[in-house]
Amino acid sequence: MKFSELAAQRYSVRRFDSRPVEQDVLDQILETGRLAPTAKNLQPQRIYVVRSEVLLAKLRAITAMTFDAPQVLVICADPSEAWVNPFNGRSSAEMDASIVAAHMMLQMQELGIGSTWVCWFDTEKVKQALALPESVEPYCLLPFGYPSAGCRPSRQHDQRKPLDQTVQYL
């Protein structure tokens, strides 16, 4: 499949089958995240695979945006390990974590796994619930699994602004 087809077919899955993703499939997804580019290749990302019912229940209590997925990737980074732009002092941690997450989401799509990007959560509560190290910041959740039967993209999925509203040639 061409990349453009893969990108067009990916959508936010919000209804999941209860069966877990097989370990070899998960390993492919995680390897794709490992290969994703990060600023200066510093690789500050930390990915937590949440599969235990106890921890999934804690995440569900923090945000309904896990959509009862059978597992959730918590995409984090350690800002102390990330590159800092000397011109504006901004850390690349969130950007690096986002690149890793995007790569994994596209790999999931290729493998028939559904996911959705979630930022609607209290980061401190997630850190506490999962007992994350103090230096690690959660940036997004990726609930993932096999899409449930009949799962379809939202009505807004194909609504995209024309390029002339988002791109300027200088």
Side-chain angles (χ1 to χ4, degrees), residues 73 81-82 85 108 112 123 140 160 169:
L73 294 180
E81 294 183 18
N85 184 322
M108 288 178 194
T123 57
C140 73
R160 302 285 182 214
Y169 291 91

Side-chain angles (χ1 to χ4, degrees), residues 36-44 81-86 92 96 99:
T38 59
K40 290 192 78 175
N41 198 30
L42 292 176
Q43 303 169 53
E81 294 183 18
W83 178 73
V84 175
N85 184 322
S92 68
D96 291 338
I99 294 167

Side-chain angles (χ1 to χ4, degrees), residues 59-67 117-123 126 139-141:
L59 285 180
R60 290 175 183 139
I62 294 167
T63 178
M65 303 302 158
T66 60
F67 304 103
W117 187 296
V118 173
C119 294
W120 198 83
F121 61 92
D122 182 320
T123 57
V126 168
Y139 292 109
C140 73
L141 307 177

Side-chain angles (χ1 to χ4, degrees), residues 76-98:
C76 305
D78 184 336
S80 70
E81 294 183 18
W83 178 73
V84 175
N85 184 322
F87 298 102
N88 60 21
R90 290 186 196 141
S91 167
S92 68
E94 186 169 7
M95 186 178 350
D96 291 338
S98 296

